[in-house]
Amino acid sequence: MTEIAPQQHLRERISAHLEVLYPDLEKAALLDDIVGLMALDHRCFMPSAHKNLWDESDTLVITYGDSILREGEWPLHTLHDFLRRELRGLISGVHILPFYPYSSDDGFSVINYVEVNPSLGDWKDINAIARDFDLMADLVINHCSSRSLWFENFKQRRDPGMDYFVEVDPKTDLSEVVRPRTSSLLNEVQTLDGKRHVWCTFSHDQVDLNFQNPKVLLEFVKIIRYYLDMGVKIFRLDAVAFLWKIPGTTSLNLEQTHEAVRLVRTLIEHAVPEAIIITETNIPLRENLAYFGNANEAHLVYNFSLPPLLINTMVSGSCQALKKWMMGMPAAQDGTTYFNFIASHDGIGLRPAEGLLDDADINQMVALMQKSGGRVSWRTLANGDNRPYEINISLFDAMRRHLYPDNENDGEDGFQEQRFVCAHALMLAVQGVPAFYIHSLLATENDENRVLHTSHNRSINRHQWVADDLESQLGTNSHHARIFQTLKDLIALRSAQAAFHPNAAQYPLHLGDEVFGIRRESHSSGAAIVAIYNISAKRQEILLADLNLDETAHWLDILNDDVDVRSQASLVLEPYEYRWLRRCDNVTATQ
């Protein structure tokens, strides 16, 4: 049998994707254009199926390009300096949130996809960061800015852009459309041909692109090629679940959307085999997991259910919902895994908690976060009711209180730091690649002034540090310094444990509601770790017999000088204390 050359394989795969997306289109010219962009003048590779492109040493940081500022210096240069000085050798990658010129939403309303926002720096600064860290960048694929050249051309009825957007007759029944905002779906705009109504899933400044037009697809193939050439390794497909629109449907997670993701996967894996796709789909669990496909869509999916469940666990003192969810989570097959985080630049999404937490639990958590300064963003249901969509709060302040407070301290019990660190130690232990929002690494508080300045709830967790102030804080015994050092130590320790490989098996343990436990075990090496967490404000005693430790092996407490715990009848955990116990068959351990 003749082996198919990579370029021919690419052509055949693209052709199959286009047949699904554009069944009535004569596709030869479009196919030639796409192959020409991705292969003809570049090397083309045959992708490997079910290959893990990550291991236990991988941890990412999520940050804006201007999260740290120094007077007289480009923010991207300041960021790079901080990453090299504080995190080199600890983190493998950095997600720089949209660094393009934009008009709103802190970057997600893109004016020009192939320029760097001149207030941040330029492509040389991006290239420099990409040389030191795996660079994750946003492909803001669902919409662009109303101030983009494409949309200006749409209003002037000229190319490119005249037919790049979704026009809908306002009389069309769009009641089935699912979206995360309360603003009107259609925005009326004046064009040279009169008034038109364009589809805007998120805001009227973010106009949805019309992927039913293959010219829009071709524009994004050009953008993908450019990003690859500029050093982007990880592509975050922003809001991709909303990509394909068909009135009369939910226009969410349509089959054409999944096919478009498969097409993007085909393009990048033939061009750069180490490149990775991650889908940003803030939707209920089952729909989110569908973006793995058959290991032919996203390499990683955001584990959106983890933040609300983990935060609820820490503030309620009960891991019942978290444990139930984890027991039902499918193991990610090789070539795919979860992208774990607790906090992000947005907020604590609540849709992924639907069906996992009941309404009473969600409302109770929302009320608690509001007591700690949090805001709530809402979405409109089909019946016109509003429902909480996300909680906007810094993660550090989200851990300020616990539920069921006494009347004296209103839930503030002095365990804020312990709760905060315990939550991250738990995140580091579960299956997937961990990611830290920079303001979680630094334990940044709510930024009330920024909210007042921008009038946007999400600004509360988008603080901008002055570099000298940050360095001063990290040089003292501040909570910022204490937590930053603790988290760095945990990241370093995790990266040396084969049992924490993102695809290592995981088994939740049954230790009651106030103690969460999980066993991780490597398929390849057999390495095993049992991680246990007191997620309550009370001291807990765990019988070793309940941990089902292999009796013939040593079990070393790697967070406490490798003490062998075998001889102990039980382990005592102080409030929010945690232990990582590593199996070791032949060792001289501390008693």
Side-chain angles (χ1 to χ4, degrees):
M1 182 179 293
T2 303
E3 184 176 346
I4 299 176
Q7 192 176 120
Q8 180 61 29
H9 186 258
L10 173 63
R11 176 176 288 273
E12 291 176 1
R13 290 275 299 278
I14 294 172
S15 180
H17 297 311
L18 296 179
E19 187 59 39
V20 175
L21 294 174
Y22 310 110
D24 300 324
L25 177 73
E26 171 52 52
K27 292 173 278 293
L30 178 61
L31 179 60
D32 288 342
D33 287 342
I34 295 176
V35 172
L37 283 165
M38 299 305 297
L40 290 184
D41 296 325
H42 307 269
R43 297 180 66 188
C44 187
F45 300 88
M46 185 69 79
S48 299
H50 301 287
K51 180 181 179 181
N52 292 327
L53 302 174
W54 42 79
D55 62 27
E56 60 274 12
S57 67
D58 284 302
T59 298
L60 275 77
V61 167
I62 304 165
T63 180
Y64 280 101
D66 56 0
S67 289
I68 306 173
L69 302 173
R70 176 175 283 117
E71 187 174 355
E73 188 172 82
W74 294 116
L76 286 171
H77 182 86
T78 307
L79 174 64
H80 192 193
D81 179 64
F82 174 81
L83 294 171
R84 282 187 299 189
R85 186 177 67 253
E86 297 287 351
L87 295 169
R88 197 172 200 172
L90 284 175
I91 66 165
S92 57
V94 57
H95 173 199
I96 306 178
L97 289 151
F99 46 80
Y100 325 111
Y102 70 96
S103 55
S104 64
D105 198 17
D106 281 356
F108 286 93
S109 184
V110 179
I111 293 175
N112 189 310
Y113 286 87
V114 294
E115 290 183 1
V116 173
N117 186 337
S119 69
L120 298 177
D122 57 25
W123 277 112
K124 289 181 180 178
D125 298 304
I126 296 293
N127 299 153
I129 294 172
R131 284 193 294 270
D132 287 337
F133 302 93
D134 292 340
L135 176 63
M136 178 169 161
D138 290 274
L139 187 66
V140 185
I141 196 169
N142 179 72
H143 51 261
C144 70
S145 169
S146 65
R147 289 173 48 195
S148 65
L149 175 63
W150 290 345
F151 197 66
E152 289 296 328
N153 284 347
F154 169 83
K155 292 186 291 185
Q156 296 299 319
R157 315 311 286 162
R158 64 190 180 206
D159 289 324
M162 184 173 68
D163 49 0
Y164 280 17
F165 301 92
V166 183
E167 297 184 42
V168 182
D169 186 325
K171 296 177 183 177
T172 304
D173 181 4
L174 299 172
S175 59
E176 295 299 315
V177 173
V178 173
R179 53 194 297 264
R181 297 291 185 271
T182 56
S183 58
S184 57
L185 176 61
L186 300 183
N187 184 34
E188 182 182 283
V189 296
Q190 186 68 43
T191 76
L192 286 182
D193 291 342
K195 293 178 180 178
R196 301 295 177 104
H197 293 82
V198 293
W199 191 299
C200 300
T201 297
F202 292 94
S203 78
H204 290 173
D205 185 48
Q206 294 167 298
V207 191
D208 285 44
L209 291 150
N210 180 17
F211 272 84
Q212 295 190 37
N213 179 355
K215 289 189 289 186
V216 174
L217 172 66
L218 190 60
E219 292 279 11
F220 274 86
V221 175
K222 295 175 185 177
I223 293 167
I224 290 168
R225 178 74 261 175
Y226 190 76
Y227 288 0
L228 287 168
D229 292 343
M230 300 308 289
V232 174
K233 179 179 178 181
I234 307 171
F235 288 76
R236 178 185 182 271
L237 304 191
D238 177 64
V240 70
F242 301 92
L243 187 70
W244 206 273
K245 286 83 175 169
I246 299 179
T249 73
T250 62
S251 295
L252 181 69
N253 306 315
L254 299 186
E255 175 53 33
Q256 293 92 334
T257 294
H258 282 279
E259 192 66 37
V261 175
R262 290 191 281 268
L263 171 56
V264 174
R265 168 71 176 263
T266 293
L267 298 179
I268 72 156
E269 67 183 2
H270 280 79
V272 178
E274 299 79 23
I276 290 171
I277 287 175
I278 176 169
T279 48
E280 189 268 332
T281 46
N282 194 351
I283 50 181
L285 177 63
R286 181 173 296 182
E287 299 166 37
N288 188 29
L289 295 181
Y291 282 89
F292 279 143
N294 184 24
N296 62 348
E297 293 188 37
H299 295 87
L300 288 84
V301 298
Y302 274 80
N303 208 347
F304 275 114
S305 297
L306 183 61
L309 284 173
L310 184 47
I311 292 167
N312 179 73
T313 294
M314 302 309 301
V315 300
S316 71
S318 171
C319 63
Q320 188 176 44
L322 178 67
K323 183 167 58 179
K324 182 179 179 181
W325 164 74
M326 194 164 289
M327 290 173 63
M329 282 286 286
Q333 61 179 308
D334 283 344
T336 68
T337 196
Y338 300 101
F339 190 72
N340 295 327
F341 68 107
I342 314 177
S344 74
H345 61 288
D346 286 343
I348 305 164
L350 296 175
R351 282 211 73 203
E354 293 174 9
L356 304 172
L357 296 173
D358 60 33
D359 288 348
D361 289 331
I362 290 175
N363 292 336
Q364 198 172 43
M365 183 168 64
V366 167
L368 186 73
M369 298 297 107
Q370 288 176 305
K371 279 186 178 181
S372 296
R375 269 64 167 178
V376 181
S377 297
W378 304 84
R379 68 184 179 95
T380 303
L381 303 179
N383 63 7
D385 291 344
N386 287 341
R387 185 174 185 139
Y389 170 71
E390 71 179 16
I391 306 168
N392 304 112
I393 190 170
S394 81
L395 186 64
F396 186 65
D397 281 319
M399 298 295 173
R400 188 190 303 175
R401 289 175 166 83
H402 66 89
L403 290 169
Y404 314 116
D406 56 43
N407 293 327
E408 183 178 341
N409 58 24
D410 197 27
E412 294 198 54
D413 56 5
F415 289 120
Q416 181 180 11
E417 286 190 36
Q418 291 91 329
R419 264 193 296 272
F420 183 83
V421 172
C422 182
H424 285 97
L426 200 160
M427 178 193 76
L428 283 167
V430 300
Q431 189 179 73
V433 174
F436 288 81
Y437 185 41
I438 194 167
H439 293 303
S440 293
L441 269 180
L442 300 172
T444 309
E445 302 98 326
N446 290 337
D447 191 333
E448 301 286 352
N449 290 332
R450 194 165 173 84
V451 175
L452 292 174
H453 178 72
T454 65
S455 299
H456 294 303
N457 288 348
R458 287 176 167 175
S459 297
I460 200 168
N461 197 23
R462 299 179 179 179
H463 180 70
Q464 291 178 302
W465 278 98
V466 174
D468 291 344
D469 292 344
L470 177 58
E471 290 173 10
S472 175
Q473 287 291 334
L474 295 182
T476 66
N477 189 34
S478 66
H479 78 269
H480 304 289
R482 291 191 300 271
I483 289 173
F484 187 43
Q485 187 59 54
T486 299
L487 294 180
K488 288 200 296 183
D489 291 344
L490 284 171
I491 293 168
L493 188 58
R494 177 192 182 276
S495 68
Q497 313 305 320
F500 283 147
H501 187 286
N503 291 81
Q506 74 180 15
Y507 310 99
L509 305 178
H510 299 281
L511 303 171
D513 288 349
E514 295 179 315
V515 177
F516 179 82
I518 186 173
R519 179 174 175 134
R520 299 292 309 282
E521 191 156 351
S522 168
H523 300 292
S524 57
S525 69
I529 284 182
V530 169
I532 53 176
Y533 304 81
N534 178 2
I535 48 83
S536 77
K538 299 181 294 184
R539 176 183 290 187
Q540 302 288 336
E541 184 174 7
I542 302 99
L543 296 175
L544 250 68
D546 291 339
L547 298 179
N548 294 319
L549 303 179
D550 310 52
E551 294 182 359
T552 59
H554 297 273
W555 286 88
L556 308 185
D557 185 345
I558 62 175
L559 295 173
N560 291 284
D561 300 321
D562 282 346
V563 170
D564 191 342
V565 302
R566 288 183 312 162
S567 61
Q568 304 175 29
S570 64
L571 294 175
V572 175
L573 271 63
E574 298 299 326
Y576 306 104
E577 189 179 5
Y578 47 89
R579 304 284 183 88
W580 289 349
L581 309 178
R582 178 172 64 89
R583 184 176 66 194
C584 194
D585 296 322
N586 297 296
V587 67
T588 301
T590 305
Q591 298 297 321

